[in-house]
Amino acid sequence: MVKHHLPDEFLMAYSAGSLPEAFDLVVASHVSLSDDSRARLEAYDAVGGALLDATDAVEVGDDSLAATLALIDASRGPIVRRKKAEPAGVFPRPLRDYVGGDADTVRWRNLGRGVRQAILKTSGTATARLLYIPTGMAMPDHGHGGTEMTLVLQGAFQDDDERFGRGDIEVANEEVQHTPVATGPEDCICLVAADSRLRFASILPRLAQPFLRI
Ligand code: ZN
C-alpha cells in the first residue's frame, strides 16, 4: 500500500510534458504503483486536454488558474482509468520497458559493502540511476544541489520518522539533509532521479506554464 505520493506540482509538470526525462521515468514508474497519484494525474491530463481544446476559441483571462482548479475538482469524480496489469517482479512497466528487463538484467556496478548502482542513460542534464542497498545499510553520502526524487521498488528505507516502502516516493531538495537507511526484510532497490541544476521551487511555475496557461 503506497503511503507517500507525489506532490501535485510534479504531476502537473509531468502532465504538461515539461519534466526532464530522468524525472519522467521516476514519475511514470511511481504512477503505475500508486492509485492515488494516478487518479490525480488523470485529472490533470483531462484538464490539460480540455484547455488545449478550448484555447483556440476562448480568451483565457486572469482567472484562468481559478478556472483550472475548478475544472480539476469537477473532473476528479468520474475519471477512473482501469489499472493496467503490472508485471510480476521488481520493476514497474515503464521502467521495465526503459531498461529492457527486470532487476536481474541490470548491469550493476559495485560501490562497496554490498551497495550497487546502475546509471541509466537519459537525455538532458538530469540523471537517473538504480541503487541496490543491502538491508541495514545507509544510502551513500550525498548532497542535494537541486531536486532529487527517490522511488522505492523493493524493500524499504527509513528516513527520520518516515518509512518508505514499494511505490513510495520521496522528494528532497537542497534544504534537506538526510541519511536514509534500508530497513526492509528484503534489500532495498530504488530508482533515483536528480538534477543539481534544477531548483523546482523556483522553476515549477514555469514548468507548469504550458499546462496552466498562466
Ligand atoms: Zn537524498
Side-chain angles (χ1 to χ4, degrees), residues 105-157:
T105 65
V106 172
R107 294 173 63 186
W108 297 98
R109 192 173 138 253
N110 225 317
L111 298 182
R113 304 184 67 194
V115 177
R116 288 181 270 165
Q117 175 177 270
I119 309 276
L120 304 180
K121 282 197 172 65
T122 49
S123 60
T125 59
T127 61
R129 65 207 164 102
L130 289 157
L131 273 176
Y132 184 105
I133 316 284
T135 190
M137 293 277 300
M139 302 232 177
D141 276 345
H142 64 281
H144 308 106
T147 295
E148 175 194 74
M149 218 180 251
T150 304
L151 171 67
V152 178
L153 302 171
Q154 175 185 289
F157 70 79

Side-chain angles (χ1 to χ4, degrees), residues 63-212:
D63 56 348
S64 59
L65 179 58
T68 300
L69 294 175
L71 277 171
I72 290 167
D73 279 338
S75 61
R76 203 175 278 266
I79 296 173
V80 181
R81 198 196 303 175
R82 262 183 305 118
K83 184 169 162 42
K84 287 198 194 101
E86 273 296 318
V90 176
F91 289 174
R93 176 76 64 195
L95 180 59
R96 186 175 300 224
D97 291 346
Y98 201 91
V99 171
D102 203 13
D104 52 1
T105 65
V106 172
R107 294 173 63 186
W108 297 98
R109 192 173 138 253
N110 225 317
L111 298 182
R113 304 184 67 194
V115 177
R116 288 181 270 165
Q117 175 177 270
I119 309 276
L120 304 180
K121 282 197 172 65
T122 49
S123 60
T125 59
T127 61
R129 65 207 164 102
L130 289 157
L131 273 176
Y132 184 105
I133 316 284
T135 190
M137 293 277 300
M139 302 232 177
D141 276 345
H142 64 281
H144 308 106
T147 295
E148 175 194 74
M149 218 180 251
T150 304
L151 171 67
V152 178
L153 302 171
Q154 175 185 289
F157 70 79
Q158 188 84 24
D159 190 357
D160 284 334
D161 297 339
E162 305 274 14
R163 182 183 184 278
F164 295 80
R166 177 170 165 84
D168 284 331
I169 195 160
E170 182 180 47
V171 179
N173 59 33
E174 58 270 40
E175 282 145 36
V176 172
Q177 295 282 336
H178 66 169
T179 310
V181 177
T183 54
E186 295 174 284
D187 294 339
C188 187
I189 297 177
C190 293
L191 174 64
V192 184
D195 191 332
S196 58
R197 295 200 260 180
L198 284 189
R199 297 179 190 276
F200 274 96
S202 57
I203 67 162
L204 263 173
R206 186 156 53 77
L207 289 179
Q209 196 174 24
F211 175 76
L212 285 174

